[in-house]
């Protein structure tokens, strides 16, 4: 992978590495089995537990729903759950939920005010920079509340709160901000392209500091209801520092 000369070759090699080491047919069948159980069962339960308490109302959009494991759990918990994504790689358990494929990276293909809450879990850093504000404006159009989870970096020690004792955070904070940013790029690319084989996914690498997200939400007319610095969540395979924002549209 390191020897590739351009993006095209890198994607080819990622596909080969994925097939050889991360699929049930390759050398890595032991990993692949455990990893797919993690992605389809353990991780969605953790995600649901991390997000469900912030859901307001009953009509929920899982924006950038991916395989749809989380959306299936949201629906099973009694919410009226809809899904959308630029790509369609839904798993069978999400097949019965309403899904509309986005026509463009900023399209949110549902009606104004349709949702009480929209979950936007580890999606925004995949959006290209020029698309981010138009997309957030569209999300604000369809939902009164956004529950956003992002991978972040350079969190000031003073704001760590409950995460302050985490050994991983202490180690991460020994790196410069730019090095922390680069680790996020590596983990994001590896986790999606190599481990999951999703080479067609858009990688915007739009990782932001918490203060940058706050300014953006504020400038777009959102009220920040909660910022939870979760840090390194126990049990996550892809290790990065996470933050959950709950923002409401100012009426
Ligand atoms: C890292 S995956 C997260 C999937 C799911 N939310 C989860 O947590 O399992 C990012 C998802 O955002 C989707 N997505 C939605 N809108 C996007 C956009 N404008 N640009 C890039 N990716 C977008 C991707 O297709 C992908 O399914």
């Amino acid at each position: 992978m390191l020897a590739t000369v351009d993006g095209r070759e890198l994607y080819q090699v990622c596909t080969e590495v994925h097939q050889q080491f991360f699929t049930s047919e390759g050398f890595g069948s032991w990993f692949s089995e455990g990893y797919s159980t993690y992605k389809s069962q353990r991780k969605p339960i953790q995600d649901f537990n991390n997000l469900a308490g912030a859901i307001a109302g009953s009509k929920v959009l899982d924006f950038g729903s991916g395989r749809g494991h989380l959306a299936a759990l949201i629906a099973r918990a009694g919410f009226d759950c809809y899904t959308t994504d630029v790509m369609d790689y839904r798993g069978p358990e999400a097949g019965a939920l309403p899904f509309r494929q986005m026509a463009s990276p900023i399209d949110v293909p549902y009606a104004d005010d349709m949702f009480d809450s929209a979950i936007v879990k580890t999606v925004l850093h995949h959006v290209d920079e020029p698309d981010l504000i138009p997309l957030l404006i569209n999300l604000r159009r369809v939902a009164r509340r956004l529950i956003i989870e992002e991978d972040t970096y350079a969190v000031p020690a003073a704001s760590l709160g409950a995460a302050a004792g985490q050994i991983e955070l202490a180690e991460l904070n020994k790196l410069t901000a730019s090095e922390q940013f680069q680790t996020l790029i590596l983990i994001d690319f590896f986790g999606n392209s190599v481990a999951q084989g999703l080479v067609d996914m858009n990688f915007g690498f739009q990782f932001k500091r918490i203060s940058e997200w706050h300014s953006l939400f504020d400038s777009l007319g959102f009220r920040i209801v909660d910022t939870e610095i979760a840090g390194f969540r126990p049990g996550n395979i892809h290790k990065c520092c996470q933050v959950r924002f709950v923002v409401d549209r100012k009426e």
Side-chain angles (χ1 to χ4, degrees):
M1 286 172 65
L2 287 174
T4 54
V5 291
D6 57 25
R8 198 188 161 87
E9 203 186 336
L10 178 63
Y11 283 156
Q12 263 168 14
V13 173
C14 284
T15 305
E16 282 166 31
V17 175
H18 171 72
Q19 281 164 358
Q20 273 202 38
F21 296 100
F22 294 93
T23 61
S24 48
E25 300 81 45
F27 301 131
S29 57
W30 62 271
F31 175 83
S32 155
E33 269 173 39
Y35 187 66
S36 60
T37 309
Y38 161 78
K39 280 299 241 185
S40 61
Q41 294 174 32
R42 206 177 80 197
K43 183 79 177 12
I45 294 172
Q46 282 177 205
D47 292 337
F48 180 78
N49 291 338
N50 296 334
L51 298 166
I55 297 176
S58 58
K59 211 160 182 177
V60 179
L61 172 66
D62 186 359
F63 177 81
S65 47
R67 296 188 200 279
H69 300 305
L70 174 63
L73 280 187
I74 292 170
R76 212 179 304 154
F79 295 98
D80 191 9
C81 187
Y82 292 66
T83 60
T84 184
D85 202 299
V86 271
M87 296 167 75
D88 183 2
Y89 58 106
R90 287 169 293 159
E93 62 274 53
L97 299 180
F99 173 81
R100 288 189 188 164
Q101 191 158 357
M102 296 160 64
S104 80
I106 64 162
D107 179 38
V108 183
Y110 288 104
D112 293 6
D113 295 326
M114 182 157 160
F115 300 103
D116 300 306
S117 300
I119 288 172
V120 189
K121 199 181 83 60
T122 55
V123 176
L124 295 183
H125 62 258
H126 282 274
V127 177
D128 290 337
E129 209 270 333
D131 296 332
L132 191 55
I133 289 179
L135 175 62
L136 281 166
I137 290 172
N138 268 332
L139 283 165
R140 189 185 63 190
R141 177 182 62 75
V142 299
R144 279 175 280 284
R145 164 167 290 192
L146 305 184
I147 302 159
I148 297 168
E149 185 161 282
E150 269 305 312
D151 303 337
T152 191
Y153 70 106
V155 183
S159 46
L160 285 177
Q166 291 180 2
I167 295 165
E168 297 98 326
L169 263 180
E171 289 300 314
L172 183 72
N173 281 336
K174 290 179 186 166
L175 304 177
T176 63
S178 145
E179 287 164 343
Q180 292 187 34
F181 189 90
Q182 285 169 39
T183 64
L184 288 177
I185 291 180
L186 179 64
I187 290 166
D188 197 40
F189 187 76
F190 190 87
N192 287 294
S193 274
V194 182
Q196 298 189 68
L198 295 167
V199 291
D200 293 333
M201 192 175 281
N202 193 64
F203 287 95
F205 299 132
Q206 287 300 306
F207 300 106
K208 295 188 188 303
R209 297 166 194 250
I210 291 173
S211 56
E212 292 171 323
W213 285 118
H214 280 170
S215 309
L216 188 57
F217 299 145
D218 194 48
S219 71
L220 293 174
F222 289 106
R223 187 168 63 83
I224 300 161
V225 176
D226 186 41
T227 300
E228 182 190 79
I229 302 170
F232 289 78
R233 294 189 189 277
N236 274 14
I237 287 188
H238 300 293
K239 296 289 183 195
C240 34
C241 176
Q242 295 200 305
V243 58
R244 189 200 71 176
F245 303 103
V246 180
V247 299
D248 283 354
R249 185 170 70 192
K250 285 184 196 160
E251 299 292 348

